[in-house]
Amino acid sequence: MNKRAFITAHKAQYGVSTLCRLVRLSRSWFYGHHASQAARDDRRERRSARDKALLERISHFFKASKHRYGSKRIHRDLRADGERVSERR
């Protein structure tokens, strides 16, 4: 049983502060971890969708250059086309 499940199972009988102290977790982690998981998943999904769209644009510029352009030129083309992205990304 993980620490979160343990605290959740016993919080009706004991205080959350006491249980967190027992398993050596901060009370703010117990209350915030679950809520922040949805935010992390949302950011991951948005980044994944953005990466997919960006990859399509990169592929377009790479094919237009007859497979000759490297990262610096493709980055320059993306910036010229109005895309705000770093070269490393």
Side-chain angles (χ1 to χ4, degrees), residues 13-56:
Q13 299 151 340
Y14 303 100
V16 172
S17 296
T18 305
L19 291 169
C20 286
R21 220 179 8 240
L22 178 70
V23 296
R24 295 188 176 138
L25 284 177
S26 70
R27 202 180 65 161
S28 63
W29 180 89
F30 176 75
Y31 285 114
H33 179 72
H34 186 67
S36 65
Q37 183 65 41
R40 282 193 301 271
D41 290 343
D42 186 46
R43 281 194 306 270
R44 191 175 299 126
E45 287 175 20
R46 281 187 282 132
R47 182 166 178 112
S48 178
R50 171 103 165 95
D51 285 347
K52 185 178 177 183
L54 190 57
L55 184 60
E56 290 174 7

